[in-house]
Amino acid sequence: MKDLINMKKENPKKNIILSQQFSIEFLNELFKLTDFMKQNETKVSEELRGKIVSLLFYESSTRTRFSFESAVLKLGGNCITTENAAQFSSASKGETLEDSIRMVSTYCDFIILRHNEDNSSKRAVSVASVPVINAGSGKSQHPTQALLDLYTIYEEFGTLENMKFAIVGDLLRGRTCDSLVYLLSKFKGNEFFFVSPDNSKIKESLKNYLVENNLNFSEVDNLDDVLPAVDVCYMTRIQKERFESLVEYEKTKGLFILDKENVELMKDNAIIMHPLPRVDEITLDVDMNKRARYFEQAKNGLYVRMAILKLLNDNV
Ligand code: CP
């Protein structure tokens, strides 16, 4: 399957690195398989029987890590992992990412990698002898998050075309917005409103991509101005851990908040999404609002990741 990128000509293994790599045909196949996983969750599967999946997480995680581990177990495979690869792997002794990946490759069938460097997945693929799945690379990409986001939108609306999206929060340091926008840009007629603090605007790379591909987008200062127009409000947190100065973070946080008052500006059938974790950008009273989908979205991560692992395993 060509969508599961082969990053290195001499390495025939398949990888998941960037959300741009997926074709619409692949997404359709993935979503059908995700539906199947969701409907058959309780049935024990043998898809990964005898396979070992290594979870190498150099940054903290709740959803990505637990949902991938759960997906592996539900498919009959086994996981090897460390609580914190930055601290408990030999990275703490100065081992390079490349050397660690070379070694871990020899002990498992797949590597799921989260790392603080933007280029980490490509570096890993360049030396890995097994498929690598990017589970979050620095500020750049989180492709499996984008796949579960897209699945959630499709499940809700039955289409991925001609929709309006507010993309809100730390668009400079976050990675989920980039991955999602690259994916949504594959579908016609979508429009994006980017809402972020002045020091956290969308990356030049994403902006250039949108301009070069004649996609419809604008950067706006006031969230309430766009809430009545959008089908999806995709909130994200300000990425405290990626700020160089705590003072700058304190000035940046709390500027765009969805609460029980402004959420009522949204259309009745619009939805609120968030990759989570949230800090203060969606108040707790919004959780009961009919438009809130972020917990269902996170749960879909399990089924999407089960489908991803099956497709990758079928195409090794
Ligand atoms: N959305 C997401 O990646 O969450 P975690 O950091 O908890 O994995």
Side-chain angles (χ1 to χ4, degrees):
M1 180 166 289
K2 65 180 167 35
D3 304 69
L4 304 172
I5 284 183
N6 175 2
M7 300 292 291
K8 201 171 161 223
K9 282 199 178 70
E10 62 272 28
N11 178 358
K13 304 299 180 199
K14 309 297 183 185
N15 306 281
I16 291 181
I17 305 301
L18 306 165
S19 63
Q20 296 94 309
Q21 81 186 67
F22 304 114
S23 63
I24 291 180
E25 293 72 33
F26 173 86
L27 295 170
N28 286 335
E29 187 180 348
L30 181 75
F31 290 173
K32 269 192 216 138
L33 192 53
T34 302
D35 287 340
F36 176 84
M37 296 298 180
K38 198 164 180 172
Q39 285 151 17
N40 294 279
E41 183 188 358
T42 54
K43 295 187 186 148
V44 176
S45 168
E46 298 291 315
E47 298 289 347
L48 290 184
R49 181 67 62 205
K51 296 292 172 78
I52 296 176
V53 179
S54 171
L55 290 105
L56 208 48
F57 276 52
Y58 292 78
E59 286 187 334
S60 58
S61 169
T62 300
R63 279 144 292 273
T64 312
R65 181 162 175 169
F66 279 92
S67 63
F68 260 126
E69 285 197 32
S70 179
V72 171
L73 298 175
K74 280 178 183 285
L75 293 172
N78 287 293
C79 299
I80 53 173
T81 186
T82 167
E83 277 312 303
N84 172 351
Q87 188 181 352
F88 296 120
S89 78
S90 284
S92 68
K93 304 174 200 162
E95 184 169 66
T96 63
L97 177 64
E98 282 80 358
D99 280 358
S100 294
I101 294 291
R102 274 191 191 95
M103 293 315 309
V104 174
S105 284
T106 64
Y107 307 137
C108 68
D109 300 286
F110 301 94
I111 293 175
I112 302 174
L113 175 69
R114 171 169 288 193
H115 196 278
N116 52 302
E117 279 189 27
D118 291 3
N119 213 26
S120 48
S121 289
K122 288 181 187 166
R123 284 175 61 195
V125 166
S126 72
V127 294
S129 55
V130 297
V132 174
I133 301 175
N134 179 359
S137 48
K139 302 184 291 300
S140 67
Q141 284 265 344
H142 194 348
T144 66
Q145 176 71 46
L147 292 171
L148 76 89
D149 293 344
L150 205 70
Y151 177 79
T152 304
I153 297 165
Y154 185 68
E155 191 178 42
E156 182 72 29
F157 295 99
T159 182
L160 293 164
E161 295 179 351
N162 301 314
M163 298 177 70
K164 295 186 195 306
F165 299 87
I167 309 283
V168 186
D170 191 345
L171 308 183
L172 179 66
R173 299 165 199 84
R175 54 197 172 202
T176 61
C177 293
D178 298 61
S179 290
L180 178 60
V181 171
Y182 282 122
L183 262 191
L184 285 168
S185 299
K186 292 178 183 285
F187 298 88
K188 69 177 184 202
N190 288 328
E191 181 172 2
F192 306 101
F193 301 103
F194 296 109
V195 188
S196 57
D198 283 343
N199 63 359
S200 308
K201 299 280 186 200
I202 61 167
K203 297 167 191 118
E204 283 303 308
S205 51
L206 179 58
K207 196 188 271 193
N208 291 340
Y209 172 85
L210 293 167
V211 170
E212 281 162 17
N213 289 281
N214 288 321
L215 295 159
N216 203 347
F217 76 97
S218 48
E219 293 181 87
V220 295
D221 296 326
N222 189 340
L223 176 59
D224 291 3
D225 285 350
V226 296
L227 284 178
V230 299
D231 302 293
V232 176
C233 179
Y234 190 92
M235 300 294 292
T236 64
R237 77 186 165 93
I238 303 299
Q239 304 264 308
K240 182 178 183 181
E241 69 278 22
R242 302 195 201 285
F243 274 75
E244 285 179 8
S245 135
L246 200 54
V247 176
E248 190 70 7
Y249 167 72
E250 293 293 337
K251 279 196 289 190
T252 308
K253 69 171 189 175
L255 297 180
F256 297 104
I257 292 185
L258 202 57
D259 60 26
K260 74 175 186 334
E261 271 84 42
N262 64 356
V263 79
E264 295 305 335
L265 295 171
M266 295 177 70
K267 293 188 283 194
D268 266 6
N269 68 341
I271 62 169
I272 304 156
M273 297 178 68
H274 193 309
L276 304 176
R278 76 169 144 190
V279 182
D280 58 3
E281 57 281 352
I282 301 178
T283 58
L284 299 184
D285 48 25
V286 174
D287 294 357
M288 299 308 289
N289 190 282
K290 64 184 176 192
R291 303 172 185 88
R293 290 292 180 283
Y294 27 96
F295 295 120
E296 289 90 342
Q297 175 190 352
K299 188 166 184 207
N300 279 339
L302 169 64
Y303 311 118
V304 168
R305 288 174 174 129
M306 288 172 79
I308 289 169
L309 286 165
K310 175 173 165 42
L311 283 180
L312 210 53
N313 191 47
D314 289 348
N315 286 280
V316 169

